[in-house]
Amino acid sequence: MQAPDDLRAALNGLLDGLPPTRAAQAVDRLIAAYRGATPTDAPILRDASDVAAYAAYRMPATYAAFRSALAEFQARAGAWAPATHLDVGGGTGAATWAVADAWRQDAHASTVLDWSEAALTLGRELAAGADSAAVRDAEWRRAPLGGAVRLPESDLVTVSYVLGELDAAARVSVVAEAARAALGAVVIVEPGTPDGYARVIAARDQLLGAGYTVLAPCPHDLACPMEGTDWCHFAARVNRSSLHRQIKGGSLPYEDEKFSYVAAARFPAEPAAGRVVRHPQIRKGQVLLDLCTRDDGLSRGIITKKRHGDLYRAARDADWGDTWPPPAES
Ligand SMILES: C[S@@+](CC[C@H](N)C(=O)[O-])C[C@H]1O[C@@H](n2cnc3c(N)ncnc32)[C@H](O)[C@@H]1O
């Protein structure tokens, strides 16, 4: 789920010409702003250098997380495809690029809404070099989100890493509006932290209350069985750019972006019977799978070489976040 080559090329060019220490300072400022109190009364992404830092440093990760969530949604949504897409709090457009990659026919029109003019400007510039016509032709519109927000109706509404920047009341009204405005589906992604998960669960409750069916990650529309100190989240691997290595140090060529998400639809479709909710543990002759299941809530599957044959081979290939049983057997 790496960002496509055209997006990576555009992002790599962003900090060209900036001395590495200036680029690192811009990212440090941004991280400090995000650690401060949110919501804020004005955009955190205030000017071109904030936005360039955000795009270079965070967009590959938000893209990867959102694209992973879309892949799980698509696996359940069959042939459904959006003709119109609304990217709420879309910033520099990570979710818009991910939607275009997921439905490559370019048969949809995307609209990006955000209150940061600087983010929209950079988003538009990045989009101009996209291979995808849907990204190139996206409309970038300034719009503050909050109580009185009225969203245009669209087949697919995406809300990527936005709810955490809104106060509780704005969060409820934005999710309610997303649920009203979406003609087909809503996909919401938040950071994979306990707080991000709590926001996703609250949004999931709202979507269920509005008559949606959750297609991913949950295998059911019941209450989430994760309790106490546990929270449902997944990981998307992101290649580290030289900027990342410079800022975070360390030698790993990648990092894992943790995210929580909910993808829900108005149209008839079935969630999977189960989903792998932890890294599978591979032992000698057996694989332990921690699963969230439609019928038994949280449970552990022990798949052995001796008893399960082909299923054991599939279990060895299974990944955190995959559906289970594997698609051919669901
Ligand atoms: C963390 S960024 C996520 C951007 C993009 N969706 C992504 O996934 O990379 C949060 C975005 O929400 C926007 N945002 C935050 N509060 C907002 C508000 N009250 N009205 C409109 N946009 C808002 C910010 O300007 C920013 O672009």
Side-chain angles (χ1 to χ4, degrees):
M1 293 304 172
Q2 299 301 326
D5 290 347
D6 49 347
L7 177 55
R8 284 223 302 273
L11 293 176
N12 283 340
L14 267 184
L15 301 172
D16 276 0
L18 259 194
T21 46
R22 287 270 309 281
Q25 279 163 4
V27 173
D28 283 343
R29 252 202 344 264
L30 196 67
I31 292 171
Y34 272 105
R35 285 211 186 100
T38 47
T40 53
D41 293 335
I44 290 176
L45 304 177
R46 287 161 312 169
D47 57 28
S49 81
D50 288 345
V51 175
Y54 177 83
Y57 189 64
R58 286 296 296 152
M59 199 174 164
T62 59
Y63 172 94
F66 207 88
R67 184 66 187 86
S68 302
L70 280 182
E72 297 306 320
F73 167 73
Q74 266 188 309
R76 310 314 307 173
W80 183 86
T84 47
H85 161 228
L86 183 69
D87 191 358
V88 177
T92 50
T96 289
W97 284 77
V99 166
D101 191 64
W103 288 279
R104 292 187 186 184
Q105 300 84 346
D106 275 348
H108 63 271
S110 284
T111 302
V112 183
L113 301 184
D114 205 284
W115 69 349
S116 161
E117 195 60 57
L120 295 169
T121 301
L122 181 62
R124 204 179 282 120
E125 279 169 27
L126 294 171
D131 292 340
S132 154
V135 176
R136 280 197 312 276
D137 297 342
E139 196 187 323
W140 303 78
R141 230 190 273 165
R142 185 141 191 266
L145 302 168
V149 66
R150 188 86 184 153
L151 300 175
E153 289 185 350
S154 312
D155 293 334
L156 172 65
V157 176
T158 58
V159 189
S160 171
Y161 287 81
V162 179
L163 297 182
E165 296 198 13
L166 305 175
D167 65 30
R171 235 171 5 243
V172 169
S173 47
V174 166
V175 174
E177 255 305 282
R180 186 203 57 79
L183 303 172
V186 176
V187 181
I188 297 175
V189 175
E190 282 289 296
T193 58
D195 286 349
Y197 161 72
R199 291 189 290 270
V200 165
I201 285 299
R204 176 182 184 268
D205 285 347
Q206 277 188 263
L207 293 170
L208 289 172
Y212 282 74
T213 300
V214 174
L215 296 191
C218 321
H220 54 74
D221 282 348
L222 305 171
C224 176
M226 289 210 185
E227 303 181 308
T229 54
D230 215 357
W231 71 98
C232 182
H233 65 290
F234 303 94
R237 186 144 289 186
V238 190
N239 288 335
R240 281 175 149 188
S241 63
S242 56
L243 176 69
H244 279 96
R245 286 201 287 272
Q246 188 188 329
I247 287 159
K248 289 203 169 168
S251 53
L252 273 185
Y254 61 82
E255 60 186 14
D256 288 330
E257 171 71 11
K258 307 278 173 38
F259 65 100
S260 293
Y261 75 101
V262 60
R266 283 188 185 285
F267 51 83
E270 282 274 305
R275 190 169 298 276
V276 180
V277 291
R278 292 276 172 275
H279 274 305
Q281 297 176 50
I282 299 183
R283 305 267 165 82
K284 198 164 186 294
Q286 63 177 22
V287 182
L288 309 184
L289 295 178
D290 286 323
L291 301 168
C292 187
T293 64
R294 191 184 307 162
D295 299 327
D296 301 316
L298 293 176
S299 64
R300 170 161 285 185
I302 302 176
I303 318 295
T304 67
K305 187 173 182 181
K306 227 179 192 162
R307 290 186 47 209
H308 295 104
D310 284 349
L311 201 57
Y312 168 74
R313 275 181 288 283
R316 284 187 63 94
D317 290 339
D319 227 333
W320 181 13
D322 286 353
T323 56
W324 189 262
E329 331 234 350
S330 318

